[in-house]
């Protein structure tokens, strides 16, 4: 890969020691995950911790999370163009790069979740148009193609400048609704299900859009900060301020939406809706999600981001970005598990689990979910692959930029 | 119009007044369909008698026990009724709506079936079904004995879709088929046949003369979680309580 970056004609970017260690580490993780996936293919999904009650797990949390991460890109690029937020413009290339990489990895995350991955092509052959999943896959493809086009136009230095600007503007106007649609459709996979009161709220799409802007911006900030640390990537002061403002606002809106949902459920006190919330609120068996979402990934980064004294320090900014992503991931877990853990019919003996062990019941009242090493391995590998894509993509962007600057 | 009247609309009425909670239908179902260990297409839930919709005891208060056959309520106000639950063959089936590849589909006679050769194993249908009746083949089917019991052959619909196979493929979802291979040849679903007290009545809802149509129409019949609008084809005759209006 490095050889590609160093092709003659472009200013060579030498691979430093840190980069080499970083890239090898990512490579090892990717191979480890590939091994885990092969193992899972030989065993079937029984190798995971999912069973019939909590039948979606780490793969779906991560899928929803990666889709969300991809938001930042087009928001940056489009925000700069559509709303004329000049300070965000320097981040547009990184943004579009992360968008393309994240949405690609999100699509890949669905594959290990399937019981019959070899049949995935059937979605194109026999699409059932009433299924939000079909629409989601379509919009993922569109979004990916779009991000790649955007990236290509941005770096077509040969294109005459005025024409490039116009094309970028046009793309920005299309990009914004595409991004909103991507997150809304992903939200509707959950939000439209009457069988899961915890999911079945009209807030789901706004929540997904907001948390996507939040985590996507955090990812871009993180990439920019790492680049700043290791590659002397410089951004004007007002860009940082704009980023912090965007993140803090998105965080506040996100928690506001989640909070409104809590209040609605608590006040209404409809038992089938309380069932999930009680598990997550302090005192419930999944309360760690609450703390991660509201304090670790909520209050703490919010304070860090709105206090100028803190946010001007790159390390603190990076920490806030990571915490924000932790909070958003916690929300994804809360969403999926909360929706599935207590089936609607809470009557003895419960739901059949589809697994049998001598001396143990085959029924569950309340679902149990402990991810296995296979799931952790595969998801870590996907995250590593994402980091790899972004690293390589970033180096490519920089080399093209330098070549452009000297041309 | 003529076609409509000749089309069957299979449905079932379960009389909770008769059900004694013996699980014969659930075990019979497991046998005829060669269901792997840990799989139950059909379960007999212990409910409260006033709960005609699966709603009240389901969620208003947690049941007194997670074990079956334990009455609901506080002594001496104890009461219970049995609620056999398998696929409700919903008219407006959420599982059919969400399946991305149409592996879960509704036949003209209203039977909701799964095509084992089409299912990609995304489990979206499990998430969508309100009744928690779908089971997934997470690994290789675990069978109690080394030979096939029950129907024992593949069964395909007239358009060639594999809707039953005794040896379950890995990574597909399965559920009650209303014993499609039996009803297509004029037999009753196996649970109806084995029920020792005749609590299950099966037939054509399109035929106004049929017992099932009359019972289902008779005002007293309820459906499970009716507020969700799935409009099940399975009806329940709730327990008639003394002193109830
Ligand atoms: S009960 Fe569940 S599986 Fe059966 S038709 Fe209704 S939604 Fe589908
Ligand atoms: S698991 Fe199979 S039947 Fe269920 S929604 Fe997915 S493809 Fe359809």
């Amino acid at each position: 890969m490095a050889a590609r970056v160093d092709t003659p004609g472009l200013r060579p970017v030498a691979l430093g020691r840190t980069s080499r260690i970083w890239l090898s580490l990512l490579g090892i993780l990717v191979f480890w995950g590939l091994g885990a996936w092969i193992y899972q293919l030989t065993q079937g999904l029984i190798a995971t911790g999912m069973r019939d009650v909590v039948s979606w797990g780490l793969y779906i949390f991560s899928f929803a999370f990666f889709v969300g991460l991809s938001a930042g890109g087009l928001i940056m690029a489009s925000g700069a163009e559509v709303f004329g937020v000049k300070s965000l413009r320097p981040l547009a290339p990184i943004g579009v790069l992360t968008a393309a990489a994240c949405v690609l990895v999100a699509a890949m995350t669905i594959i290990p979740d399937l019981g019959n991955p070899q049949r995935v092509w059937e979605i194109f052959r026999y699409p059932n148009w009433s299924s939000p999943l079909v629409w989601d896959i379509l919009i993922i493809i569109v979004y990916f193609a779009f991000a790649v086009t955007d990236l290509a136009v941005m770096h077509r230095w040969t294109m005459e400048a005025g024409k490039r600007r116009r094309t970028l503007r046009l793309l920005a106007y299309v990009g914004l609704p595409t991004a909103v649609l991507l997150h809304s459709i992903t939200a509707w996979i959950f939000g439209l299900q009457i069988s899961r009161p915890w999911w079945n709220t009209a807030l789901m799409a706004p929540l997904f859009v907001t948390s996507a802007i939040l985590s996507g911006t955090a990812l871009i900030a993180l990439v920019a900060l790492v680049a700043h640390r290791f590659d002397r990537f410089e951004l004007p002061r007002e860009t940082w301020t704009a980023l912090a403002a965007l993140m803090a606002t998105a965080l506040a809106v996100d928690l506001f939406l989640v909070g409104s949902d809590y209040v609605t459920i608590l006040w209404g006190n409809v038992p089938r809706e309380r069932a999930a919330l009680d598990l997550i609120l302090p005192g419930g068996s999944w309360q760690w999600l609450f703390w991660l979402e509201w304090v670790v990934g909520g209050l703490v980064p919010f304070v860090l981001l709105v206090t100028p004294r803190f946010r001007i320090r790159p390390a603190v900014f990076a920490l806030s970005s990571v915490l924000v992503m932790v909070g958003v991931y916690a929300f994804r877990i809360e969403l999926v598990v909360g929706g599935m853990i207590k089936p609607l019919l809470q009557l003895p003996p419960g739901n059949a689990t589809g697994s049998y062990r001598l001396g143990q019941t085959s029924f569950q009242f309340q679902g149990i979910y402990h991810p296995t090493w296979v799931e952790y391995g595969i998801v870590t590998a996907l995250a590593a692959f994402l980091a790899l894509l972004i690293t390589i993509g970033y180096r490519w962007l920089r080399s093209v930029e330098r070549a452009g600057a000297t041309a | 119009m003529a076609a409509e009247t000749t089309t069957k609309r299979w449905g079932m009425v379960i009389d909770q007044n008769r059900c004694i909670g013996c699980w014969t239908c659930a075990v019979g179902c497991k046998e005829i369909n060669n269901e792997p260990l840990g799989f139950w297409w059909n379960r007999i839930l212990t409910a409260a008698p006033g709960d005609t919709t699966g709603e009240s005891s389901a969620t208003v208060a947690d049941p007194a026990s997670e074990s079956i056959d334990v009455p609901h309520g506080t002594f001496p106000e104890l009461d219970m009724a049995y609620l056999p639950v398998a696929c409700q063959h919903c008219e407006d089936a959420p599982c059919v709506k969400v399946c991305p590849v149409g592996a879960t589909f509704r036949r003209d006679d209203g039977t909701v079936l799964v095509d084992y050769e089409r299912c990609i194993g995304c489990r979206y249908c499990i998430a969508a079904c309100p009744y928690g009746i779908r089971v997934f083949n997470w690994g290789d089917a675990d069978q109690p004995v080394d030979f096939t019991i029950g129907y024992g052959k593949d069964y395909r619909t007239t358009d060639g879709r594999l809707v039953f196979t005794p040896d379950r493929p890995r990574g597909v979802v399965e559920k009650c088929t209303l014993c499609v291979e039996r009803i297509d040849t004029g037999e009753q679903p196996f649970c109806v046949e084995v029920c020792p007290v005749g609590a299950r009545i099966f037939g054509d809802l399109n035929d106004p003369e049929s017992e099932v149509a009359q019972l289902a129409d008779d005002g007293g019949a309820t459906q499970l979680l009716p507020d969700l609008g799935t409009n099940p084809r399975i009806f329940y005759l709730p327990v008639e309580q003394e002193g109830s209006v």
Side-chain angles (χ1 to χ4, degrees):
Chain A
M1 282 299 163
R4 242 183 75 87
V5 177
D6 296 342
T7 36
L10 301 177
R11 176 81 68 82
V13 185
L15 268 183
R17 191 154 158 263
T18 335
S19 309
R20 277 205 300 271
I21 296 177
W22 171 241
L23 290 176
S24 342
L25 180 74
L26 294 179
I28 292 169
L29 286 176
V30 168
F31 274 106
W32 162 245
L34 219 55
W37 189 43
I38 292 171
Y39 175 77
Q40 181 186 292
L41 285 177
T42 64
Q43 303 296 304
L45 288 175
I46 193 94
T48 71
M50 299 183 279
R51 288 300 177 268
D52 281 332
V53 178
V54 180
S55 49
W56 276 346
L58 219 50
Y59 301 138
I60 298 292
F61 313 154
S62 306
F63 162 71
F65 181 69
F66 290 140
V67 170
L69 282 186
S70 75
L74 291 192
I75 305 284
M76 290 296 150
S78 308
E81 295 297 334
V82 178
F83 302 113
V85 190
K86 291 239 167 40
S87 49
L88 289 180
R89 197 165 278 161
L91 284 171
I94 295 191
V96 179
L97 167 71
T98 58
C102 291
V103 83
L104 178 68
V105 172
M108 289 168 61
T109 312
I110 305 179
I111 306 295
D113 187 61
L114 297 181
N116 280 298
Q118 78 283 6
R119 292 185 188 164
V120 67
W121 58 272
E122 289 180 354
I123 295 183
F124 304 102
R125 173 123 189 239
Y126 312 102
N128 173 17
W129 296 110
S130 65
S131 172
L133 203 58
V134 170
W135 290 95
D136 205 44
I137 285 165
L138 275 188
I139 190 82
I140 282 177
I141 294 170
V142 168
Y143 190 85
F144 178 69
F146 185 85
V148 170
T149 316
D150 212 0
L151 211 54
V153 173
M154 251 176 220
H155 287 88
R156 182 90 53 78
W157 294 97
T158 47
M159 201 189 255
E160 178 251 313
K163 186 160 169 243
R164 212 180 83 224
R165 279 246 65 81
R166 278 196 302 279
T167 321
L168 280 179
R169 266 192 89 79
L170 186 77
L171 285 175
Y173 276 97
V174 187
L176 210 52
T178 315
V180 171
L181 214 55
L182 171 71
H183 303 293
S184 304
I185 296 177
T186 309
W188 289 328
I189 290 182
F190 305 97
L192 301 181
Q193 299 314 316
I194 46 159
S195 56
R196 311 280 167 182
W198 183 242
W199 295 350
N200 195 215
T201 156
L203 275 184
M204 203 52 82
L207 245 175
F208 263 63
V209 173
T210 319
S211 62
I213 295 176
L214 174 61
S215 59
T217 318
L219 177 67
I220 291 175
L222 194 64
V223 172
L225 284 159
V226 171
H228 170 75
R229 168 76 179 74
F230 293 102
D231 193 41
R232 292 187 301 279
F233 176 76
E234 293 301 337
L235 283 176
R237 180 77 173 264
E238 64 268 22
T239 303
W240 289 115
T241 319
L243 260 183
L246 189 58
M247 266 163 77
T249 315
L251 182 54
V253 175
D254 185 64
L255 290 180
F256 165 69
L257 292 175
V258 177
S260 310
D261 206 25
Y262 286 6
V263 172
T264 311
I265 294 174
L266 283 173
W267 199 89
N269 209 18
V270 178
R272 57 162 89 139
E273 287 171 6
R274 278 297 292 272
L277 186 58
D278 286 346
L279 291 172
I280 287 148
L281 287 183
S285 45
W286 290 76
Q287 58 168 325
W288 54 276
L289 289 172
F290 177 88
W291 298 116
L292 281 185
E293 191 184 0
W294 286 85
V295 180
V296 178
L299 199 63
V300 175
F302 186 78
V303 170
L304 293 180
L305 286 169
V306 294
T307 319
R309 193 152 44 90
F310 291 139
R311 72 162 176 254
I312 53 167
R313 308 181 45 188
V316 177
F317 206 119
L319 176 71
S320 328
S321 307
V322 172
L323 291 181
V324 155
M325 287 197 253
V326 168
V328 171
Y329 200 90
F331 166 69
R332 300 294 197 252
I333 304 177
E334 172 183 317
L335 174 81
V336 178
V337 173
M340 302 195 116
I341 197 156
K342 282 219 170 195
L344 274 185
L345 290 178
Q346 287 285 305
L347 292 171
N351 281 23
T353 56
S355 76
Y356 170 84
R357 290 246 154 58
L358 201 66
Q360 278 178 23
T361 168
S362 294
F363 297 98
Q364 267 175 11
F365 232 72
Q366 179 173 318
I368 297 170
Y369 176 55
H370 299 296
T372 59
W373 67 270
V374 176
E375 290 166 276
Y376 285 120
I378 293 178
V379 166
T380 315
L382 286 161
F385 185 64
L386 177 62
L388 204 61
L389 284 180
I390 294 179
T391 312
I392 294 169
Y394 172 79
R395 294 179 70 92
W396 172 77
L397 282 183
R398 288 293 267 177
S399 63
V400 176
E401 237 164 63
R402 281 177 191 142
T406 52
Chain B
M1 268 354 252
E4 206 168 284
T5 42
T6 51
T7 312
K8 299 266 192 252
R9 225 175 108 232
W10 297 122
M12 195 188 291
V13 168
I14 301 177
D15 188 347
Q16 290 185 279
N17 293 285
R18 291 193 190 167
C19 179
I20 54 170
C22 64
W23 285 67
T24 306
C25 56
V27 175
C29 172
K30 260 182 93 74
E31 291 209 8
I32 190 81
N33 292 305
N34 203 35
E35 288 159 36
L37 288 173
F39 283 42
W40 293 89
W41 288 3
N42 183 10
R43 297 162 292 149
I44 319 314
L45 307 182
T46 305
D51 176 16
T52 56
T53 58
E55 175 71 4
S56 63
S57 53
T59 42
V60 167
D62 279 336
S65 164
E66 294 194 4
S67 307
I68 56 170
D69 299 339
V70 178
H72 286 241
T74 337
F75 182 81
E77 305 288 318
L78 297 174
D79 233 341
M80 71 176 180
Y82 292 107
L83 187 69
V85 176
C87 175
Q88 303 290 304
H89 295 275
C90 312
E91 298 256 7
D92 192 359
C95 57
V96 175
K97 280 202 254 182
V98 300
C99 179
V101 295
T104 290
F105 64 103
R106 239 168 141 262
R107 242 172 31 161
D108 290 343
D109 62 4
T111 319
V112 175
L113 297 167
V114 181
D115 182 343
Y116 290 133
E117 289 170 328
R118 177 79 65 84
C119 173
I120 61 172
C122 65
R123 309 185 299 293
Y124 198 0
C125 53
I126 299 186
C129 171
Y131 306 98
I133 59 88
R134 289 180 163 251
V135 264
F136 190 69
N137 285 279
W138 297 96
D140 290 322
D142 205 358
Q143 292 290 357
V145 279
D146 269 344
F147 53 88
T148 298
I149 48 174
Y151 183 68
K153 287 178 287 188
D154 284 0
Y155 187 78
R156 288 176 189 275
T157 55
T158 41
D159 45 355
R161 305 185 71 173
L162 183 69
V163 292
F164 181 80
T165 176
D167 304 309
R168 301 307 199 286
R170 200 195 261 174
V172 299
V173 83
E174 59 178 73
K175 66 167 197 73
C176 156
T177 62
L178 268 187
C179 287
V180 59
E181 74 285 356
R182 295 169 59 90
I183 58 176
D184 282 1
T185 55
E187 282 178 284
Q188 305 255 313
F190 202 53
C191 56
V192 177
E193 195 163 305
V194 298
C195 177
V197 292
R200 290 172 179 266
I201 300 107
F202 174 82
D204 180 8
L205 293 169
N206 270 350
D207 171 9
E209 300 303 309
S210 70
E211 190 185 359
V212 73
Q214 287 174 358
L215 288 171
D217 279 347
D218 139 51
T222 58
Q223 292 161 312
L224 214 47
L225 302 174
D227 57 322
L228 298 183
T230 52
N231 195 9
R233 283 283 177 84
I234 311 293
F235 296 86
Y236 293 86
L237 298 181
V239 174
E240 286 157 21
Q241 280 176 290
E242 256 178 79
S244 68
V245 275

